[in-house]
Amino acid sequence: MKKFLAMLLALTMVLALAACGGKKEEAPAPAETPAETPAEESAEVKVGLICVHDINSGYDAAHIEGLQTACKELGISDSQIVMKYNIPEDETCQDTAVDLAEQGCTIIFSDSYGHQMHMQAAAEEYPDVTFVACTGDLAAASGLSNYKNMFPYTYESRYVSGVVAGMKLKELMDAGTVSDPYVGYVGAYPYAEVVCGYTAFLLGIQSIVPEAHMDVQYTNSWYDPSKEAETANALIARGCVIIGQHADSTGAPSAVQEALDKGTVAYSVGYNIDMLSVAPDAALTSAQNNWSVLYKHMLEKFMAGEELPTDFACGYADGAVMISPLGGSCAEGTQEAVDAAWAGIKDGSLKVFDTSKFTCQPSADGSYQVDGDGHVTSAFGLDTNGDWVNDAGEAVEGGAFVESVLRSAPYFGLRIDGITELNNN
């Protein structure tokens, strides 16, 4: 009866959307048909993907391409993939997950943090279907065997993109073009995922220019090209000479290019996609994720009938993160600095969140401890009661904050000295 009601509800929603011109449609089949394989193990698999936006968002585009690539490599055909675009982070996500389950999807992914509660609700209703919330952090606490999370080590690519920015900043300072190593960052939300990324970005910059400092301004949206451009312009007006971003559009890099064209010293480090097409002179590089690595890992295990990890994360060593090709405006010696950073990350000699490299003010909420110099000596990594304050799980080991080990989604929420979060009002 429950599934019948779900089908009736889904039909009602479709009719309602048709009446008001809404677009919650299945994605077209991938442009390139996967090669035919005799792999019987793929025959019973049907994969669903719920996207918070569509191909126009760099973040969603990376997921769409990643899933298509993984499926092609595993012999999963076009007819076994169903994609849903522009699904908001509300009950619509649960309805969409139910619809995919009723269409016969055996494993369903969602790509946005706000989808996770609704994916969990669908997982409770359909215990024979596996649900994976990318960027989510509730799977372990849910106790559900069919509900999983996965996320790449984005902090690694953020750090290395910061090295690129640091090299440019040093070049500008050495030339006397810039006297204040002032960096800006367009952030989506004050979530740990964003905080972790922009902190790693600044630490990468400070590995080259130790006195660099950064202002962060939030857009309170994952994808808003106009607001991201406005925020970048506001940061440039404050004197920021390099603009980083955790935002899903080309709005910020486009604004930086326009400022540079008008004679303002300004350069951009993007996210998700290569920004050279919209900022040919301003774009230095972009931090990127190779989602196909994660999708393939989870799908391989699923097809083999193995238990999927509740939290799965991997990084540069497995090819899951990278940066885009260096732009023509990058400083001389940048590639060598990038190569050295990647080598250190891979062999473990470079710890992105080395606690000797940053300081924090004493904790007011008990989520971390600092010594007399402000260096973090102990920190919790998990929030057990949902109050947004980490209260369990030691995250400092061997003189470094270990990220995406206690769970896959980022939990580095420390506010380090040298970063100012601006009031958005």
Side-chain angles (χ1 to χ4, degrees):
M1 177 61 71
K2 184 179 291 185
K3 292 188 177 182
F4 172 77
L5 289 175
M7 292 177 65
L8 183 60
L9 176 59
L11 178 60
T12 302
M13 288 179 61
V14 169
L15 293 174
L17 288 170
C20 66
K23 293 185 177 179
K24 297 291 185 291
E25 300 177 355
E26 297 177 19
E32 187 175 353
T33 303
E36 293 296 329
T37 71
E40 296 86 354
E41 57 187 358
S42 68
E44 301 302 320
V45 176
K46 189 169 184 179
V47 185
L49 174 62
I50 298 173
C51 298
V52 69
H53 296 112
D54 55 31
I55 197 73
N56 294 305
S57 157
Y59 176 77
D60 295 272
H63 275 275
I64 293 165
E65 180 182 356
L67 179 60
Q68 289 176 341
T69 298
C71 287
K72 179 178 180 180
E73 292 177 357
L74 294 172
I76 299 173
S77 69
D78 297 356
S79 63
Q80 294 170 269
I81 307 169
V82 184
M83 296 192 188
K84 297 285 189 175
Y85 295 149
N86 299 311
I87 307 303
E89 296 170 310
D90 58 24
E91 290 79 3
T92 310
C93 177
Q94 181 180 348
D95 296 334
T96 303
V98 166
D99 177 45
L100 289 170
E102 289 296 329
Q103 288 190 51
C105 288
T106 52
I107 182 168
I108 300 169
F109 297 88
S110 67
D111 74 356
S112 195
Y113 183 82
H115 284 152
Q116 63 175 331
M117 293 178 62
H118 312 292
M119 288 284 281
Q120 180 175 330
E124 292 170 350
E125 188 173 354
Y126 290 84
D128 295 330
V129 177
T130 297
F131 297 80
V132 183
C134 304
T135 85
D137 51 20
L138 297 178
S142 75
L144 298 172
S145 62
N146 65 323
Y147 183 44
K148 312 294 181 180
N149 289 146
M150 70 178 192
F151 199 79
Y153 295 160
T154 56
Y155 65 93
E156 294 181 342
S157 57
R158 292 291 190 186
Y159 181 93
V160 176
S161 72
V163 170
V164 174
M167 292 293 291
K168 184 64 181 180
L169 195 57
K170 184 177 185 301
E171 178 188 68
L172 293 170
M173 295 180 70
D174 288 347
T177 305
V178 168
S179 58
D180 183 8
Y182 188 14
V183 179
Y185 199 92
V186 180
Y189 294 97
Y191 297 163
E193 178 185 343
V194 180
V195 176
C196 167
Y198 68 58
T199 304
F201 178 62
L202 181 64
L203 292 173
I205 294 173
Q206 289 180 336
S207 72
I208 308 297
V209 183
E211 66 272 31
H213 59 105
M214 184 169 73
D215 282 355
V216 176
Q217 188 159 345
Y218 298 107
T219 62
N220 296 309
S221 171
W222 295 118
Y223 180 84
D224 188 332
S226 296
K227 194 165 187 179
E228 290 162 32
E230 292 169 4
T231 303
N233 283 327
L235 290 166
I236 293 170
R238 294 176 67 90
C240 298
V241 295
I242 292 179
I243 306 296
Q245 71 177 81
H246 188 135
D248 294 346
S249 86
T250 59
S254 296
V256 177
Q257 179 66 49
E258 184 176 350
L260 184 63
D261 289 342
K262 292 178 179 179
T264 300
V265 177
Y267 295 91
S268 168
V269 173
Y271 183 39
N272 294 310
I273 60 174
D274 187 337
M275 298 295 182
L276 287 172
S277 63
V278 297
D281 302 309
L284 301 177
T285 190
S286 292
Q288 294 183 300
N289 301 314
N290 181 5
W291 283 99
S292 70
V293 172
L294 289 92
Y295 281 113
K296 184 176 181 180
H297 177 87
M298 296 296 263
L299 286 170
E300 277 184 319
K301 284 188 171 295
F302 182 77
M303 291 162 61
E306 299 176 11
E307 177 68 21
L308 273 63
T310 300
D311 279 276
F312 176 64
C314 59
Y316 177 73
D318 295 296
V321 299
M322 62 272 191
I323 63 172
S324 65
L326 300 180
S329 294
C330 285
E332 184 178 352
T334 297
Q335 186 61 61
E336 290 79 5
V338 165
D339 292 343
W342 281 133
I345 288 172
K346 188 172 183 179
D347 67 21
S349 61
L350 191 163
K351 305 292 186 183
V352 170
F353 296 117
D354 181 338
T355 56
S356 70
K357 304 297 185 182
F358 62 88
T359 58
C360 294
Q361 295 303 302
S363 171
D365 57 18
S367 62
Y368 63 92
Q369 302 295 320
V370 298
D371 62 19
D373 295 322
H375 295 292
V376 177
T377 58
S378 178
F380 291 125
L382 301 178
D383 171 16
T384 62
N385 58 13
D387 65 354
W388 297 91
V389 176
N390 290 344
D391 54 22
E394 180 56 61
V396 175
E397 296 181 4
F401 187 105
V402 291
E403 177 62 291
S404 295
V405 172
L406 300 175
R407 71 172 188 227
S408 56
Y411 42 82
F412 184 100
L414 304 176
R415 268 56 174 187
I416 74 169
D417 296 332
I419 298 178
T420 301
E421 294 172 284
L422 301 176
N423 190 326
N424 289 298
N425 296 329

